[in-house]
Amino acid sequence: MPSEAEIRKIVFGFSDFKVKPKRLYLRTRRAGRSSPAPPACLDQSSLRVTSGSISTSIMASHIVGYPRMGPKRELKFALESFWDGKSSAEDLKKVAADLRLSIWKQMADAGIKYIPGNTFSYYDQVLDTTAMVGAVPPRYGWNGGEIGFDVYFSMARGNASVPAMEMTKWFDTNYHYIVPELGPDVKFSYASHKAVEEYKEAKAHGVDTVPVLIGPVSYLLLSKPAKGVEKSFPLLSLLGKILPIYKEVVTELKAAGASWIQFDEPMLVMDLDSHQLQAFTEAYSTLESTFSGVKVLVETYFADVLPEAYKTLISLKGVSGYGFDLVRGTKTLDLVKGEFPSGKYLFAGVVDGRNIWANDLAASVTILKALEGIAGKEKLVVSTSCSLLHTAVDLANETKLDSEIKSWLAFAAQKVVEVNALAEALSGQKDEGFFSANSAAQASRKSSTRVTNEAVQKAAAGLKDSEHRRATNVSARLDAQQKKLNLPVLPTTTIGSFPQTIELRKVRREYKANKISDDEYVKAIKQEINKVVKLQEDLDIDVLVHGEPERNDMVEYFGEQLSGFAFTVNGWVQSYGSRCVKPPIIYGDVSRPKPMTVFWSSIAQSMTARPMKGMLTGPVTILNWSFVRNDQPRYVTCYQIALAIKKEVEDLEKAGINIIQIDEAALREGLPLRKSEHSFYLKWAVHSFRITNCGVQETTQIHTHMCYSHFNDIIHSIIDMDADVITIENSRSDEKLLSVFREGVKYGAGIGPGVYDIHSPRIPSTEEIADRIKKMLAVLETNILWVNPDCGLKTRKYPEVKPALKNMVAAAKQLRQELASAK
């Protein structure tokens, strides 16, 4: 065995602890470089002891959760290879294990004391909880025992015989979770030991993690009544049935050696009634006896905890600590200052887990020092505002990013370092060099001339003086448009994108790398568009799309052509399952230097006599699916984007495009969690959409698209958007959307509730689609109904898309015949 000095020399290049190993990690990570890993031949236990002795005097630090896809999307590719039958379950598990270990080691090396465990997932953490409590819907044929990949992925994605469970947005993020389906007959059972297994796995590698569980009350409130169960079924009535499973899990975790367990209860930031708040009290009172011998953290995030919820939270039995989002929940700070229970731990989420801007360390230290006087140095823990799942993984992988802009940023790996740096500073071990660099970066961003465009600021400021509505009402417009377009009853269309093949992605990749010429690229994309147009004509679809072969992502594509945006190479963020997005970074004022889509839309329209939709992403979606600047109100940035899209809409119209779709898939997603804030958000969000198309002629048909959120509570705002046609997700959510029309809401514009779920490989039959259309016709007028899938087809494969669209068109034709015969 080498001596400690020899180990230090081999691993870190020095033997004198005046420079600490952890500091070397921090410096390289802060600088955006990878830190040196210890040689595999070394005795890791010796290294761990040495590392542990370094950080004993540092204030405690904590990370709520961490991205699971990997810095280069390793999990995504492993999942898709497994789903395609190209690799085994063991291959997938090996990739997952390697990712988990690298994440745990990264946080341990950075000096984080409370490292989250069980935040890794093969698909979704809520689905993991469904598996843990054995709440598998009967249609998946599960007969008990430990839930394996077959049942797990069938719930997530569906299979040849049964559809997937509903997927919807996780609070106000772009992450999607799988919605549990519960009813009075559900029989909970401990069916997935993942939390315990991953704790033991980390421990075997010398890392003591804090297992993270979705709390029982939040889990029930995030669920929905199963099909066939009354919509009024009280989900919280199942609390007594589910708590015994949580007791089993806690008992096993304690037996495995866990000293802390984190219960995520994000529903505590919502508007809750007294009955719902009482459920938290009952749940933790029931679990209290099980908590003996382990400390429990109840974590909240995404917004303020309201006063009544705060009182409930700090009164929960058996709870040792409370975690708060102090970035989006600034009012919670006042509650903490007003009252905080003695002897409890305060996990202060001062590092933003939802955005990529570097923390203002000086400002955070001020907040933390104030909290230190309330909770005490020993009980204050520096933390992230929420899981880092919602940010990109590692700035070190961004070698092409502008150096000035890069100095303003911090991805997940850098946020881990920021948390630890703050903990060090509070412990009297402030890294003056790091804080100085941070201060300089903050100043640089505030003074940079590339951030502000006075003309754009002035134009956006002037938008408040008008409602920006079209000259005629929607009824008159639809009449004028039908005379021009001459569409059949129940017109068919798709949402925009078509499958992006390996060959197509290769063309874009080679063009970006300058391996093919402009002419070669244009020729290849034209060929792809022609293929998609011909396919749609062969299928007899009425309103066509060009398939978007030139686009990498519906937001990134536009951001790349707008000023004020920056882009990453590996800044991927999980949206759902294996689906990742690479959000643009809005760092400055936004404008459109030149047309963005007119060239390709014009080419596509020239290939067919049928109407071709011009495809745009709306301003609210671009905003909500980007990392947005935090130095001005979000609505100001949104108005700037709206003006840029307005120019594009008008140029498309001039080019002869008669139908223009402006997608607002993320409008509902941005709705604040506080009901009191809904009205203001919806006012500027809807206004932004109207700005984009207020200047077109009444014969130009404006479409929009929305997906994967609950829309019934904002239906009047959707109507106020004043689009001519809206296509909207419907099939995967058990047609909840239709209920709003059954309840008497009158909708006069065109509407296309999705007739099949595109996020599943399952191919719906003609009869199934026809049945869905009939349900729609029972609550919607025939002359306004459109027939279309739930969403774009980018993530599907042609062997799935062709038969599904064929069946969709056949169903529409069948219903047309039936309607004609009934006259």
Side-chain angles (χ1 to χ4, degrees):
M1 172 74 63
S3 68
E4 281 197 13
E6 289 171 325
I7 292 173
R8 296 170 199 149
K9 187 72 174 176
I10 294 169
V11 178
F12 304 112
F14 49 78
S15 57
D16 183 357
F17 267 174
K18 289 179 181 177
V19 182
K20 298 177 180 179
K22 184 183 60 170
R23 294 268 183 182
L24 178 65
Y25 174 90
L26 296 179
R27 288 172 184 170
T28 53
R29 184 59 66 177
R30 288 167 183 168
R33 303 191 301 273
S34 298
S35 58
C41 61
L42 283 179
D43 181 342
Q44 296 297 303
S45 61
S46 297
L47 191 58
R48 285 195 297 273
V49 172
T50 303
S51 297
S53 68
I54 293 166
S55 57
T56 52
S57 64
I58 303 296
M59 178 175 281
S61 52
H62 167 251
I63 305 297
V64 177
Y66 200 81
R68 55 184 70 123
M69 278 290 132
K72 301 287 182 71
R73 294 180 293 162
E74 291 87 347
L75 182 60
K76 168 190 172 65
F77 299 121
L79 282 167
E80 292 174 357
S81 176
F82 173 69
W83 292 337
D84 290 342
K86 296 176 181 177
S87 59
S88 68
E90 291 307 311
D91 293 331
L92 175 57
K93 290 177 181 178
K94 176 66 167 60
V95 171
D98 289 345
L99 283 172
R100 287 193 295 268
L101 178 58
S102 68
I103 291 167
W104 295 328
K105 286 293 189 182
Q106 174 188 335
M107 285 190 261
D109 290 347
I112 301 300
K113 180 174 181 179
Y114 299 117
I115 297 170
N118 196 42
T119 56
F120 175 87
S121 178
Y122 286 103
Y123 205 94
D124 163 52
Q125 68 269 19
V126 181
L127 181 62
D128 291 349
T129 308
T130 295
M132 183 183 81
V133 301
V136 180
R139 65 180 178 273
Y140 297 108
W142 177 63
N143 296 314
E146 189 80 5
I147 290 173
F149 280 163
D150 285 352
V151 172
Y152 181 85
F153 287 129
S154 290
M155 289 192 288
R157 307 176 70 239
N159 57 43
S161 57
V162 291
M165 295 169 70
E166 180 187 351
M167 182 168 65
T168 197
K169 297 294 174 69
W170 177 246
F171 293 85
D172 59 347
T173 74
N174 186 34
Y175 179 77
H176 304 66
Y177 76 96
I178 302 297
V179 184
E181 302 172 12
L182 306 177
D185 299 327
V186 65
K187 292 180 173 59
F188 294 116
S189 63
Y190 190 9
S192 171
H193 294 66
K194 173 180 176 292
V196 177
E197 290 167 355
E198 289 188 11
Y199 175 79
K200 291 179 178 178
E201 180 185 336
K203 193 173 182 182
H205 289 292
V207 181
D208 187 23
T209 58
V210 177
V212 179
L213 305 174
I214 300 289
V217 183
S218 288
Y219 177 76
L220 292 177
L221 292 175
L222 288 164
S223 303
K224 70 172 185 176
K227 200 166 187 179
V229 175
E230 289 291 327
K231 285 185 169 56
S232 59
F233 172 71
L235 293 162
L236 288 177
S237 67
L238 299 173
L239 190 59
K241 296 176 70 173
I242 201 172
L243 289 178
I245 311 304
Y246 276 85
K247 284 188 173 184
E248 287 188 70
V249 178
V250 171
T251 300
E252 281 201 9
L253 286 169
K254 287 197 304 181
S259 56
W260 276 87
I261 300 175
Q262 176 178 319
F263 284 80
D264 281 6
E265 292 282 12
M267 287 300 293
L268 276 166
V269 306
M270 303 298 286
D271 295 310
L272 302 176
D273 59 34
S274 59
H275 172 64
Q276 292 167 326
L277 289 173
Q278 182 60 28
F280 287 96
T281 300
E282 291 175 7
Y284 287 86
S285 294
T286 301
L287 292 171
E288 181 185 12
S289 60
T290 317
F291 292 160
S292 176
V294 68
K295 290 184 173 67
V296 170
L297 163 65
V298 175
E299 183 69 49
T300 67
Y301 38 76
F302 296 151
D304 287 300
V305 178
L306 292 179
E308 287 304 311
Y310 181 77
K311 289 178 184 177
T312 299
L313 173 59
I314 63 174
S315 301
L316 294 180
K317 301 289 187 182
V319 175
S320 307
Y322 316 100
F324 300 107
D325 181 338
L326 300 181
V327 176
R328 291 185 174 232
T330 52
K331 293 177 183 176
T332 302
L333 197 58
D334 295 329
L335 296 176
V336 172
K337 290 177 179 178
E339 177 186 9
F340 190 77
S342 176
K344 300 293 186 179
Y345 288 82
L346 171 56
F347 287 72
V350 294
V351 173
D352 192 352
R354 295 268 308 261
N355 216 327
I356 43 67
W357 302 107
N359 186 269
D360 185 338
L361 297 178
S364 292
V365 166
T366 300
I367 293 170
L368 290 167
K369 283 185 175 178
L371 294 175
E372 187 179 32
I374 296 167
K377 184 182 286 286
E378 299 302 318
K379 301 294 183 181
L380 180 63
V381 182
V382 184
S383 185
T384 54
S385 66
C386 63
S387 173
L388 299 177
L389 173 71
H390 309 289
T391 190
V393 179
D394 194 345
L395 194 59
N397 294 321
E398 301 305 325
T399 57
K400 297 181 180 179
L401 196 59
D402 176 272
S403 59
E404 182 183 28
I405 294 173
K406 190 174 181 179
S407 74
W408 304 340
L409 308 179
F411 291 0
Q414 287 70 45
K415 290 176 186 294
V416 168
V417 171
E418 288 180 336
V419 167
N420 192 77
L422 289 167
E424 284 183 328
L426 267 289
S427 303
Q429 299 185 36
K430 181 179 178 182
D431 185 332
E432 295 292 349
F434 185 50
F435 270 69
S436 176
N438 176 267
S439 177
Q442 300 290 328
S444 162
R445 186 175 166 214
K446 288 176 183 177
S447 62
S448 176
T449 56
R450 67 201 306 175
V451 170
T452 304
N453 182 319
E454 289 185 12
V456 172
Q457 289 274 347
K458 185 176 180 180
L463 293 174
K464 297 178 183 178
D465 301 329
S466 171
E467 284 285 299
H468 295 93
R469 294 187 182 274
R470 295 176 72 179
T472 54
N473 64 39
V474 69
S475 178
R477 297 199 305 266
L478 288 174
D479 287 343
Q481 291 157 11
Q482 179 57 18
K483 289 177 183 176
K484 186 171 187 176
L485 298 170
N486 193 30
L487 297 172
V489 172
L490 306 179
T492 55
T493 190
T494 64
I495 304 305
S497 61
F498 265 66
Q500 298 229 338
T501 63
I502 293 173
E503 295 77 17
L504 176 58
R505 293 176 190 274
K506 181 182 177 184
V507 166
R508 284 209 310 267
R509 189 167 57 249
E510 289 184 343
Y511 181 62
K512 202 166 188 177
N514 295 317
K515 292 182 179 179
I516 59 175
S517 67
D518 290 354
D519 289 344
E520 289 172 317
Y521 175 71
V522 169
K523 180 181 178 181
I525 298 299
K526 277 185 179 180
Q527 289 174 344
E528 185 69 20
I529 293 173
N530 189 58
K531 180 181 79 174
V532 170
V533 169
K534 187 176 187 307
L535 171 61
Q536 292 172 93
E537 288 183 330
D538 291 344
L539 291 168
D540 204 17
I541 292 174
D542 300 303
V543 174
L544 311 189
V545 297
H546 77 289
E548 305 176 8
E550 78 284 9
R551 304 185 189 183
N552 43 13
D553 175 82
M554 64 183 289
V555 173
E556 185 176 12
Y557 176 78
F558 289 93
E560 285 176 339
Q561 301 181 77
L562 295 169
S563 65
F565 282 75
F567 299 89
T568 64
V569 175
N570 291 295
W572 298 99
V573 179
Q574 184 182 15
S575 179
Y576 64 86
S578 67
R579 169 76 170 149
C580 299
V581 294
K582 192 146 56 73
I585 298 165
I586 305 178
Y587 67 85
D589 291 332
V590 178
S591 62
R592 187 199 73 149
K594 60 183 180 181
M596 302 179 286
T597 67
V598 176
F599 177 74
W600 296 116
S601 291
S602 299
I603 286 174
Q605 184 62 82
S606 72
M607 295 176 177
T608 181
R610 301 187 185 207
M612 175 66 64
K613 285 195 284 190
M615 301 300 304
L616 304 174
T617 302
V620 185
T621 296
I622 290 177
L623 182 87
N624 285 337
W625 285 357
S626 297
F627 290 124
V628 183
R629 57 190 293 190
N630 57 2
D631 59 344
Q632 70 179 14
R634 289 173 68 87
Y635 72 85
V636 174
T637 303
C638 198
Y639 282 165
Q640 293 176 357
I641 302 169
L643 287 172
I645 299 299
K646 181 177 186 290
K647 291 181 179 180
E648 189 72 13
V649 168
E650 291 168 358
D651 281 348
L652 282 168
E653 184 183 55
K654 290 174 186 175
I657 305 300
N658 296 314
I659 301 179
I660 302 169
Q661 182 169 307
I662 308 166
D663 286 344
E664 284 295 12
L667 187 140
R668 173 63 175 78
E669 167 186 313
L671 194 68
L673 300 181
R674 288 279 87 78
K675 289 180 181 177
S676 61
E677 299 170 7
H678 286 190
S679 177
F680 178 68
Y681 167 78
L682 289 170
K683 182 178 180 181
W684 63 255
V686 169
H687 187 196
S688 295
F689 178 82
R690 290 201 307 265
I691 288 168
T692 65
N693 60 85
C694 62
V696 299
Q697 301 173 25
E698 68 173 359
T699 52
T700 297
Q701 190 167 86
I702 299 296
H703 288 221
T704 191
H705 171 68
M706 295 181 176
C707 60
Y708 297 100
S709 287
H710 299 299
F711 300 106
N712 294 20
D713 57 344
I714 63 164
I715 190 64
H716 293 290
S717 294
I718 292 174
I719 293 170
D720 196 40
M721 290 171 71
D722 200 27
D724 297 311
V725 178
I726 179 171
T727 53
I728 194 164
E729 183 274 325
N730 170 69
S731 63
R732 184 158 185 170
S733 58
D734 291 334
E735 301 167 342
K736 282 182 189 172
L737 174 70
L738 300 186
S739 66
V740 76
F741 301 113
R742 295 189 189 101
E743 292 162 6
V745 172
K746 298 298 181 185
Y747 193 77
I751 184 167
V755 296
Y756 80 90
D757 174 24
I758 65 88
H759 287 94
S760 169
R762 182 174 169 272
I763 299 167
S765 67
T766 299
E767 292 72 26
E768 180 183 334
I769 295 175
D771 182 60
R772 286 191 186 277
I773 297 172
K774 288 176 183 177
K775 290 179 182 177
M776 297 171 190
L777 288 170
V779 294
L780 294 166
E781 297 294 329
T782 305
N783 64 330
I784 66 170
L785 186 62
W786 285 63
V787 177
N788 47 262
D790 263 351
C791 202
L793 304 171
K794 176 181 177 179
T795 60
R796 299 268 56 89
K797 296 179 172 59
Y798 275 106
E800 301 158 356
V801 166
K802 291 178 182 179
L805 291 180
K806 180 180 178 181
N807 293 346
M808 184 188 81
V809 173
K813 289 181 176 180
Q814 175 185 318
L815 268 294
R816 287 174 193 161
Q817 291 178 349
E818 292 180 14
L819 290 169
S821 300
K823 288 184 179 180

